[in-house]
Amino acid sequence: MLFFESIRLALNTIRAQKLKSFFTLLGVCIGVMFLIAVVSIVEGMGRYMEQDLIGKLIGVNSFELRHRPNINMGDVDPSVWESYRRRPRLYHDDVAPVVDALPAGTRWAYVSDNSLPVSSRYSSGPRNAQISAVDGDFFAIRKFVIAEGRDFTPQELAMGTPVVIVGPDIVKRLFPGLSAIGRELKMGGLPYTVVGVLETQGSAFGLSFDNQVFAPWQSPVHRLLNRVPSIVDAVIIQVPTASQMTEAQERVRQVMRTRHKLRPGQPDNFSLQTSESALAFWNKLKRYLVLAGVALPAIGLVVGAIVIMNIMLVAVAERTREIGIRKALGARRVDIMSQFLIEAATLSTVGAAVGIALGVGLAKVIAAISPLPATVAPWSIVVGVALGAGVGIISGVYPASRASMLDPIAALRQE
Amino acid sequence: MSQSTEAEVGISTTAERQAVTSQPGATPGRDWVIVTRGIKREYDMGGEIVRALRGVDIAIRRNEYVAIMGPSGSGKSTLMNLIGCLDTPTAGEYWLNGNLVSSMKDDELARIRNKEIGFVFQTFNLLPRATALHNVELPLVYAGMSAKQRRETAAYALERVQLTSRMHHKPNELSGGQRQRVAIARALVNSPSILLADEPTGNLDSATSSEIMKVFEELAEQGQTVIMVTHEADIAAHARRVVALHDGQVSSDTRRERFVRENEHIIAAKK
Ligand SMILES: Nc1ncnc2c1ncn2[C@@H]1O[C@H](COP(=O)(O)OP(=O)(O)OP(=O)(O)O)[C@@H](O)[C@H]1O
Ligand SMILES: [Mg+2]
């Protein structure tokens, strides 16, 4: 009951001295706010990475055969880079043997891509866009939905008809105010007819997924994409269920080792990239982000603790007479000690609560103005409250013990 | 106890103005609430020793109403603080209800202050931000009483000093006399063995003073042991025994009748 008494006293103090309390609690408040916000963003990014971005780049239950991994956002050793650079490329002739070796029911596609200028009669000057030459079940594996128009026909894919499917950004830039379907755009001086427009894919980290042009691999555009026209950048393979991944990867590996004439014991000179290998990088990045997310608030909390300690020391000095009265009426040292500790903890927990509210708000704002879907982690709220109380108790120990050691007579004599 | 009949409390056994308080027969126990033997309190002021009390022997029975008088600096407050267990003597022994408190530790003293002592101060010493009721509840908080029981007990104590109507007022909404009555209610709320008052009327006008003295009178009649410090003879004349301190020592210890007789001119002049 002394407990509730002390909490009530602390809340009264906050109410009576709003401005002072505001500054007292600022440090803890900001610390907890950043903790909640940063953790929310990291969680949101994580969810986005795991469920959205990686899926978009690689697709579910799928892997990519490449001469080297293209998702290398982590730190790659220079010697590894050197070995990547010396690897043989994949060629169009490799596709058929790989595809033939796959188990029945497996979907496949292959793609070459590059950034190239695209132009049209309806806009001034060429624009750079991501150009991909594709063949197979490319749109199905990547879960790209055609919003307007149609997919390539098997004939168009087989014959290399100069038709394209474009992202919404291309429509906006090359055909402002017009419908793109049936109209022409130019790549490498040759005309291509737009047959389909994709649904928007959004963007991540400032990179748009909508500034893309897709054409049949066999069309003339593939000559523009690589130094040697027959180079294929990736073969994409999607198995029906996750359990078939290893089997499919093993078959592809054996085909490629044979084609590259590797002896047993020699390492692979090609890569089988899965969403997991891409996620490994993300997990590494996440550790740094969480570290930053802890270090930043920690500074706020340390500052907050120092401020609270000072405020509590002032409170002890101002209330020396009260302490004397309480001691004269029978308060023991622990009673005085716990009164001031609880008061400090209450102060700081109130600060933490405000910080949590602001942090959740900040996360929501970031979610609203950026593509990151910030997700508030329940554990971060628990940690926030615990940190608040903890900072209060730690910063209250010294002032509270000073209060408890006061001599009652001297304290009573104070004006 | 047989020896103590000779040394009747409050009667000078030797000549006037002599230290006479020592009751060799006063054994700490049921009858004697307070017994001190040669208590001294010295302050070390950076080499210079200030002797606030130079060996005080005093014995007070249950239900006594004692006034302590003496010039400023004679050690009255120092003695009260020792009796009230706010302070410990540098030498000598002090028994309260037969317990030797002069050697007790801090937390034991806190418990004694809570259960056995009721303090009334010259400057009231109420918590300014708390209501009268809450101020009176404070000792019960430290006694560990439940909230409901606390409220009832505190309300009853305020009723005893006729302040029921001011229960929910803060100290700054009360007159000086009312504040002191709140303080008296707070001092009484734990039913202490002794009520200690250090110049309880020092900050009050004469009308309010006599009002407060009436409260003390009633309490004493109800059997409450009261020890009061004052330097006004007319206030001291309310007590049934007057102990005079001089330079840290007891200089006289008289019954009320004799004190009034000796100080008639001062008391009369005041009235
Ligand atoms: N904390 C202290 N440190 C040093 N000396 C002290 C202390 N407290 C009291 N004294 C000294 O002890 C002596 C007795 O003081 P005390 O307060 O008991 O006097 P008093 O009789 O209550 O006087 P008054 O009537 O003015 O209240 C004084 O000389 C005083 O200066
Ligand atoms: Mg005094």
Side-chain angles (χ1 to χ4, degrees):
Chain A
M1 97 207 85
L2 203 64
F3 180 76
F4 293 113
E5 178 84 15
S6 306
I7 290 182
R8 207 179 54 85
L9 265 168
L11 293 178
N12 278 349
T13 311
I14 295 176
R15 219 173 303 146
Q17 303 171 314
K18 288 189 186 69
L19 195 69
K20 191 168 127 194
S21 306
F22 170 75
F23 284 111
T24 308
L25 303 180
L26 204 58
V28 175
C29 190
I30 288 176
V32 171
M33 181 183 82
F34 273 123
L35 177 84
I36 300 283
V38 171
V39 167
S40 299
I41 290 162
V42 171
E43 288 271 317
M45 257 169 98
R47 208 162 281 192
Y48 177 71
M49 279 295 212
E50 284 151 26
Q51 296 176 0
D52 224 18
L53 182 66
I54 302 289
K56 228 172 252 177
L57 290 177
I58 298 185
V60 204
N61 290 343
S62 56
F63 62 94
E64 292 184 5
L65 169 64
R66 288 176 174 275
H67 79 291
R68 59 173 159 86
N70 72 329
I71 306 178
N72 277 311
M73 297 182 266
D75 35 335
V76 175
D77 204 74
S79 65
V80 176
W81 266 116
E82 186 55 27
S83 75
Y84 282 171
R85 217 176 49 76
R86 276 195 253 114
R87 283 183 176 184
R89 301 295 299 245
L90 297 178
Y91 292 94
H92 194 248
D93 292 346
D94 293 323
V95 176
V98 165
V99 165
D100 288 344
L102 292 172
T106 308
R107 283 204 279 214
W108 57 268
Y110 58 94
V111 60
S112 291
D113 52 23
N114 209 340
S115 184
L116 288 178
V118 192
S119 60
S120 87
R121 280 199 282 131
Y122 312 97
S123 72
S124 59
R127 305 271 183 164
N128 264 337
Q130 186 72 17
I131 314 298
S132 303
V134 300
D135 200 351
D137 299 324
F138 184 83
F139 295 109
I141 296 173
R142 287 284 161 89
K143 289 209 169 106
F144 285 178
V145 178
I146 292 164
E148 205 187 326
R150 59 170 178 84
D151 197 352
F152 299 135
T153 64
Q155 288 84 352
E156 284 168 342
L157 287 172
M159 296 177 63
T161 316
V163 288
V164 289
I165 294 173
V166 298
D169 282 4
I170 300 290
V171 180
K172 248 179 268 162
R173 287 175 183 167
L174 295 186
F175 309 101
L178 300 170
S179 165
I181 304 292
R183 292 203 154 83
E184 268 179 12
L185 55 74
K186 276 191 173 173
M187 296 186 287
L190 293 174
Y192 292 78
T193 307
V194 177
V195 295
V197 176
L198 292 172
E199 236 176 32
T200 181
Q201 305 288 326
S203 61
F205 315 114
L207 283 169
S208 173
F209 291 117
D210 291 338
N211 190 29
Q212 299 210 70
V213 177
F214 298 92
W217 200 88
Q218 298 288 3
S219 72
V221 80
H222 79 265
R223 296 171 193 284
L224 308 171
L225 300 175
N226 278 303
R227 186 168 39 81
V228 179
S230 59
I231 287 177
V232 166
D233 285 331
V235 181
I236 307 163
I237 292 134
Q238 185 182 44
V239 293
T241 62
S243 59
Q244 286 160 277
M245 283 283 278
T246 334
E247 165 74 8
Q249 280 178 300
E250 204 41 50
R251 289 195 193 184
V252 171
R253 172 172 289 123
Q254 289 317 322
V255 171
M256 286 312 294
R257 288 187 68 89
T258 315
R259 289 188 65 78
H260 286 176
K261 302 191 174 62
L262 295 176
R263 284 189 301 277
Q266 270 187 297
D268 291 348
N269 56 1
F270 52 88
S271 294
L272 297 174
Q273 182 173 262
T274 61
S275 55
E276 260 138 65
S277 60
L279 274 179
F281 150 72
W282 159 246
N283 286 330
K284 196 146 89 190
L285 180 68
K286 190 165 156 179
R287 267 205 295 278
Y288 290 116
L289 286 174
V290 168
L291 212 68
V294 169
L296 228 80
I299 297 167
L301 291 176
V302 167
V303 172
I306 293 168
V307 173
I308 289 178
M309 185 163 101
N310 272 295
I311 293 289
M312 290 310 292
L313 281 173
V314 171
V316 169
E318 278 174 349
R319 282 153 61 189
T320 300
R321 200 184 177 89
E322 176 193 322
I323 295 162
I325 294 170
R326 287 177 182 274
K327 284 203 156 186
L329 299 179
R332 292 161 301 161
R333 279 188 181 159
V334 289
D335 295 322
I336 301 295
M337 179 101 186
S338 58
Q339 179 189 331
F340 281 92
L341 274 185
I342 291 167
E343 200 170 317
T346 305
L347 264 173
S348 148
T349 307
V350 167
V354 174
I356 287 170
L358 291 178
V360 170
L362 187 64
K364 292 256 188 288
V365 167
I366 287 170
I369 61 173
S370 81
L372 298 175
T375 310
V376 176
W379 67 261
S380 67
I381 292 180
V382 175
V383 168
V385 172
L387 272 179
V391 163
I393 288 169
I394 289 168
S395 53
V397 165
Y398 176 60
S401 81
R402 285 243 321 225
S404 75
M405 301 302 265
L406 281 174
D407 170 40
I409 299 170
L412 277 170
R413 208 176 286 147
Q414 204 220 28
E415 280 315 305
Chain B
M1 283 295 154
S2 58
Q3 298 127 299
S4 65
T5 46
E6 179 68 8
E8 263 261 51
V9 178
I11 297 181
S12 304
T13 50
T14 50
E16 291 174 39
R17 307 214 180 282
Q18 247 184 280
V20 286
T21 326
S22 174
Q23 277 109 28
T27 44
R30 269 212 348 263
D31 285 349
W32 300 93
V33 187
I34 288 164
V35 176
T36 72
R37 291 238 173 96
I39 53 170
K40 295 182 179 171
R41 184 63 171 97
E42 294 172 349
Y43 297 99
D44 189 348
M45 302 300 287
E48 199 205 337
I49 307 279
V50 177
R51 293 189 170 81
L53 293 177
R54 300 163 180 262
V56 170
D57 298 325
I58 196 167
I60 294 172
R61 279 183 199 270
R62 196 168 301 286
N63 306 346
E64 269 197 280
Y65 182 6
V66 183
I68 296 175
M69 286 197 74
S72 186
S74 58
K76 305 183 294 293
S77 295
T78 306
L79 181 60
M80 284 297 258
N81 290 337
L82 287 173
I83 291 174
C85 296
L86 280 170
D87 197 7
T88 45
T90 40
E93 288 156 338
Y94 166 31
W95 286 270
L96 176 65
N97 287 323
N99 299 312
L100 186 65
V101 293
S102 46
S103 60
M104 278 188 184
K105 296 251 160 41
D106 217 73
D107 281 358
E108 291 172 286
L109 291 175
R111 210 194 65 82
I112 299 261
R113 289 198 292 270
N114 186 244
K115 300 261 188 263
E116 310 290 345
I117 314 282
F119 267 110
V120 175
F121 302 92
Q122 177 176 359
T123 53
F124 320 131
N125 275 335
L126 300 174
L127 294 189
R129 283 187 293 173
T131 63
L133 184 68
H134 191 79
N135 265 292
V136 177
E137 273 184 49
L138 265 183
L140 304 174
V141 169
Y142 293 115
M145 194 183 274
S146 76
K148 186 170 174 282
Q149 211 183 341
R150 227 158 63 199
R151 191 136 317 143
E152 283 168 9
T153 314
Y156 174 67
L158 280 169
E159 198 183 310
R160 280 179 80 183
V161 294
Q162 282 113 46
L163 269 182
T164 308
S165 60
R166 297 286 184 276
M167 204 147 81
H168 300 294
H169 289 235
K170 299 231 172 106
N172 61 3
E173 299 157 357
L174 298 172
S175 73
Q178 286 170 334
R179 284 183 214 185
Q180 198 58 301
R181 295 216 305 258
V182 172
I184 294 168
R186 183 178 67 183
L188 292 173
V189 76
N190 258 355
S191 317
S193 321
I194 40 174
L195 179 64
L196 296 179
D198 194 347
E199 310 217 22
T201 58
N203 277 22
L204 302 173
D205 60 39
S206 58
T208 320
S209 292
S210 48
E211 187 190 307
I212 292 298
M213 288 331 292
K214 214 182 277 163
V215 175
F216 275 64
E217 195 84 42
E218 280 166 24
L219 291 171
E221 265 161 32
Q222 288 160 22
Q224 176 69 52
T225 312
V226 180
I227 306 172
M228 168 180 74
V229 164
T230 182
H231 55 247
E232 288 172 271
D234 58 325
I235 296 292
H238 288 274
R240 297 184 200 132
R241 173 182 166 193
V242 181
V243 175
L245 278 189
H246 206 274
D247 203 13
Q249 283 178 310
V250 176
S251 61
S252 82
D253 189 344
T254 57
R255 277 189 157 175
R256 179 187 177 184
E257 295 70 29
R258 180 174 181 160
F259 176 79
V260 171
R261 207 183 318 128
E262 283 169 358
N263 295 279
E264 227 159 5
H265 55 291
I266 309 171
I267 298 163
K270 273 273 187 172
K271 282 176 181 165

